[in-house]
Amino acid sequence: MTVTGPCNSPDVVDVVALGESMVTFLPTRPGRLADVPSFERAIGGAESNVACMLAAAGHSARWVGRVGADGFGDHLVETIGSYGVDVSAVRRDPDRPTGIYFRTAGDRATDAHEVAYYRAGSAASAMAVGNVDEAALGACRVLHLSGITAALSDDCLALMRALTAPRPGRPLVSFDVNFRPGLWRDADGPRVLLELARRADLVFVGDDEAREAWGLDGGRAVREALPEPRTVVVKHGAGGATAYDRNADGTEDGDGRATLVPAPRVDVVAHVGAGDAFAAGFLSATLRGLPVRDRLRHGHLMAAAALTVPGDLAAPPARDHADRLTALDEGAWGKLRLGPGWTGTAQGAEEEVRTP
C-alpha cells in the first residue's frame, strides 16, 4: 500500500485522528474503585493516543476533537499538544463538559477490572458534520477513525458516515473497529461498525471483538466479510496479528496467502492502550512504505511499549532501534522478550532481548 497526500500544502500532515479524548484517573494502588483512596490524572482516547504516539515517533499528526470550556479540556489540549500533535482544530464547547473516567489498576480482561465513565452528554458527543474543521480533516495522508466515535451520538455517526464516504481525493481512511458494547444505545452497533469498516481502506479488528460483534471465527472469515478495504489487520492478542493486504492486481500478498507475524513475549505492566499503540506502529510503517511483515512487527513493538507502562501512552522506541528489531530473522524475532524500560535501550538488540 502506497500512501500519498492530497496536495503539497504545508498544512498537510501525515495523520489526522478524530475522536473523543477524556481525562482518565488512574488508581494509586490496586483494589476496588470503592476502596482506592486517590488517583493520578492522565489522558485517554483511542484516536488521540494514536496521534500522540505517531508524533512521538517522528510523524506529523493532528488531533481533531471537541472538549468542554473547562479545566479538563485545557488539560487535554495542552497534554496532547505537548507530544507534538497539532491541536489547532480542536473545538471548545461552552455548554457541555469534557468527558472523564476512572479505572482500577488491574487487567481489564479480568472480572475484577472496573471502569466508571462520565461521558454522557460530553462535548465530544456533540461533534457533527457542521461543527468540525473539514479542511483540517482532509489535509492529511491518513485519516484515522474508530468505532467509538460512531457510538457517541446520532450526530457523531452521521459525521463518521460522511468521513468514510467515497469521494475524489479522499485520504487513506484507517478504521479501528473498537467495539465497545456498553457505549451503544441499541443493538445496531455491530451492523453499523461493519458498514463503516467496509468503507475504509485499512481496518484493525481483534478476533475476539469480531466474534462478539459479528459472530465471525477466524481471520479469513473476517476478511471475507470485509472484501472492500485494501488491508484488513486481524489481531490475535498475544498470538500475534494477521494482515490481509490486496495488491494492485487484486491478489493478496501475491500468492493469496495472509501475513501472520507472532507477537514478541512481553512482561506486561498494563494492557490499556496496546491496541491504539499497535495501530500507531502499523500506520507509521505504512507511511514509510515498509512491507507488510515489517508493518506488523512495528505494530507489535509499539504495542509492547504500551504494555510495559501503567498508562495509555508510552514513549515509542527510537526509529533506528525499532528498525533494528524489525530486521531480525525469524528465529531471533521469536526469542524476543521485552520488559519495562526496553524502549530506552540504545546499545543493540541484545540489551533489550531476554531469551528463556
Side-chain angles (χ1 to χ4, degrees):
M1 177 186 295
T2 301
V3 182
T4 58
C7 64
N8 294 319
S9 166
D11 295 330
V12 173
V13 296
D14 289 335
V15 175
V16 167
L18 173 137
E20 179 173 34
S21 189
M22 296 180 290
V23 173
T24 176
F25 291 90
L26 310 177
T28 55
R29 73 182 191 193
R32 301 184 309 154
L33 287 178
D35 301 327
V36 174
S38 59
F39 296 80
E40 295 180 350
R41 185 179 63 177
I43 66 170
E47 302 85 2
S48 60
N49 285 348
V50 171
C52 287
M53 296 199 77
L54 282 167
H59 296 280
S60 55
R62 176 182 299 127
W63 173 55
V64 176
R66 194 172 181 89
V67 300
D70 50 33
F72 288 142
D74 293 340
H75 176 64
L76 281 174
V77 173
E78 292 167 4
T79 303
I80 293 170
S82 72
Y83 282 83
V85 176
D86 175 5
V87 292
S88 62
V90 177
R91 300 287 174 86
R92 308 300 291 261
D93 191 319
D95 302 316
R96 297 175 179 84
T98 303
I100 64 173
Y101 73 97
F102 297 77
R103 68 171 174 84
T104 51
D107 179 359
R108 67 173 54 179
T110 69
D111 292 337
H113 184 73
E114 299 173 73
V115 180
Y117 287 105
Y118 299 90
R119 72 195 308 177
S122 69
S125 69
M127 287 189 296
V129 171
N131 67 11
V132 294
D133 190 330
E134 294 182 13
L137 284 168
C140 60
R141 299 171 64 195
V142 174
L143 175 61
H144 182 69
L145 309 168
S146 95
I148 294 172
T149 305
L152 297 180
S153 68
D154 291 340
D155 283 341
C156 284
L157 174 55
L159 175 61
M160 291 287 288
R161 284 178 167 145
L163 292 174
T164 57
R167 63 185 184 277
R170 189 184 84 168
L172 183 147
V173 173
S174 165
F175 182 72
D176 193 335
V177 172
N178 261 324
F179 179 47
R180 306 286 174 84
L183 283 180
W184 289 93
R185 302 171 299 285
D186 51 43
D188 283 344
R191 178 189 59 78
V192 170
L193 291 174
L194 186 64
E195 170 200 336
L196 294 173
R198 293 182 66 177
R199 294 157 67 122
D201 302 298
L202 166 60
V203 175
F204 299 98
V205 61
D207 52 12
D208 54 345
E209 60 184 347
R211 280 192 297 272
E212 184 177 8
W214 303 323
L216 299 175
D217 192 10
R220 182 55 65 182
V222 174
R223 180 47 156 165
E224 290 174 355
L226 297 172
E228 295 89 353
R230 166 69 184 269
T231 305
V232 174
V233 179
V234 181
K235 298 174 292 182
H236 315 299
T242 302
Y244 300 88
D245 188 59
R246 188 170 61 248
N247 295 311
D249 62 1
T251 62
E252 293 192 355
D253 290 30
D255 57 6
R257 293 183 302 169
T259 302
L260 168 64
V261 171
R265 280 165 289 188
V266 178
D267 297 332
V268 176
V269 173
H271 285 85
V272 293
D276 305 330
F278 181 93
F282 191 94
L283 286 172
S284 174
T286 299
L287 286 160
R288 296 171 61 199
L290 300 183
V292 173
R293 188 209 69 167
D294 292 0
R295 297 178 198 183
L296 289 167
R297 285 191 173 189
H298 275 280
H300 287 317
L301 291 173
M302 199 81 89
L307 289 167
T308 49
V309 298
D312 285 37
L313 288 168
R319 182 172 292 184
D320 60 347
H321 186 184
D323 284 345
R324 186 168 57 249
L325 293 180
T326 299
L328 292 173
D329 62 34
E330 297 298 325
W333 177 263
K335 293 179 180 179
L336 273 178
R337 183 170 180 177
L338 307 174
W342 75 270
T343 60
T345 303
Q347 298 301 317
E350 293 77 15
E351 294 192 20
E352 76 272 348
V353 176
R354 290 183 289 135
T355 57

